[in-house]
Amino acid sequence: MVSSLYEPINVYKPLAADIGIVDGPLEYLIVGGVKLPLPFTTRMTVVRLSNGELFLHSPIKFDERLAKELRDFGTVRHLISPNQFHYAHIGEWQKAFPEATAWASPRVRQRARARRLEVHFARDLDLAPPQEWRRDIDQTLFPGGYFKEFIFFHLPSKTLILTDTIINIEPDKISEPWRTAVRLTGMAAPRGGIFFGMRIPLILQQRAAQAARIKIHSWRPQRIVLSHGRCFETDADRTIERIFGRSSL
Ligand SMILES: [Fe+2]
């Protein structure tokens, strides 16, 4: 199984003022304690708040050189688990930055406990942004049953920060049978879409889904950052309309 990385990895890549991404190493899906032969790329989004504190969305595997780079950029303060599947490295970052606060997504504590991962979540994410970052970042909960996640919007750069809500995998970066699988499930770049696992829950949670869509449209994002696959750095409005429908719906 071959999969290529978004190199260079473990390096901060600016997208706009005070926001950038760090591509990480490959990881493997573990189901019921079994590592599946499905490597996927990882990505963390870093926002520098107006008070100089850093918001680390979905922290990737800890790396000392990267930690030093971030220390020069701001004060690592918030470690975000946007959904119950993205949390595995928060404990490593907490060890290096004991002053940082880890923010929990629904069910993530149980999941971490079941996997015996040491991580202490001091706070819970909520439908509205906390006072700690609401000047710079808005948020809401995107429904999707088991896969629901908190989504964020960096106000100054108009960047929508998603985790698994949209998957946009570049087929030439993966091998078969996954290449065919991402195409068949509508998750292949450049026309990636809603993560297939969320689609039925979204039908069953129409009101919550509609509220989230209205929120996304109201933000008018200019850029969409994803945790897996290629981000949408231009024409975000067209992508949002294609995936979430028109704003008047
Ligand atoms: Fe993911």
Side-chain angles (χ1 to χ4, degrees):
M1 172 72 215
V2 183
S3 185
S4 49
L5 292 164
Y6 286 91
E7 286 169 342
I9 65 165
N10 298 334
V11 176
Y12 179 78
K13 300 169 186 169
L15 295 173
D18 299 320
I19 185 167
I21 55 171
V22 185
D23 287 296
L26 290 176
E27 300 214 351
Y28 291 81
L29 202 61
I30 297 173
V31 176
V34 178
K35 187 166 143 181
L36 300 184
L38 168 57
F40 54 87
T41 54
T42 54
R43 180 178 295 129
M44 161 166 85
T45 304
V46 178
V47 174
R48 180 165 56 189
L49 304 174
S50 30
N51 62 6
E53 294 182 343
L54 300 185
F55 170 103
L56 270 48
H57 174 272
S58 185
I60 55 171
K61 189 170 168 44
F62 182 79
D63 177 81
E64 194 55 61
R65 204 213 53 78
L66 170 62
K68 183 181 178 318
E69 186 182 11
L70 294 181
R71 270 191 201 101
D72 293 340
F73 186 50
T75 307
V76 173
R77 180 69 69 208
H78 304 292
L79 307 170
I80 313 297
S81 163
N83 67 29
Q84 60 168 320
F85 305 100
H86 285 241
Y87 70 96
H89 303 297
I90 287 181
E92 302 158 20
W93 288 87
Q94 268 182 323
K95 274 198 194 115
F97 297 96
E99 306 296 307
T101 303
W103 294 76
S105 52
R107 286 188 48 84
V108 75
R109 288 188 182 85
Q110 294 95 303
R111 201 171 175 87
R113 224 175 290 132
R115 289 198 33 206
R116 300 204 174 87
L117 279 180
E118 206 180 309
V119 45
H120 172 66
F121 288 101
R123 303 280 297 271
D124 288 84
L125 293 168
D126 205 345
L127 274 176
Q131 160 264 322
E132 279 84 348
W133 61 69
R134 69 172 166 229
R135 262 186 75 182
D136 304 280
I137 300 171
D138 196 5
Q139 71 195 50
T140 194
L141 183 65
F142 192 82
Y146 196 61
F147 301 103
K148 63 174 163 277
E149 72 177 41
F150 280 95
I151 63 174
F152 300 88
F153 183 66
H154 182 229
L155 298 155
S157 68
K158 295 185 168 290
T159 303
L160 180 60
I161 304 169
L162 304 181
T163 310
D164 299 326
T165 295
I166 294 177
I167 307 273
N168 191 45
I169 305 280
E170 289 158 283
D172 59 349
K173 278 189 171 282
I174 55 173
S175 59
E176 295 292 3
W178 309 113
R179 190 180 291 168
T180 300
V182 298
R183 283 196 171 121
L184 289 177
T185 51
M187 301 192 299
R191 290 179 61 82
I194 300 267
F195 169 53
F196 78 95
M198 281 180 158
R199 292 179 198 160
I200 289 174
L202 281 176
I203 294 169
L204 301 174
Q205 295 175 279
Q206 281 192 26
R207 279 175 63 164
Q210 181 63 352
R213 282 190 197 105
I214 288 170
K215 188 83 175 174
I216 291 169
H217 281 297
S218 75
W219 286 331
R220 298 182 169 272
Q222 289 183 358
R223 176 188 300 106
I224 310 169
V225 176
L226 313 176
S227 290
H228 308 295
R230 181 184 282 269
C231 300
F232 296 96
E233 296 202 28
T234 54
D235 294 329
D237 47 351
R238 259 193 276 164
T239 300
I240 282 169
E241 200 168 293
R242 174 174 67 78
I243 296 175
F244 298 106
R246 301 174 82 91
S247 59
S248 55
L249 285 178

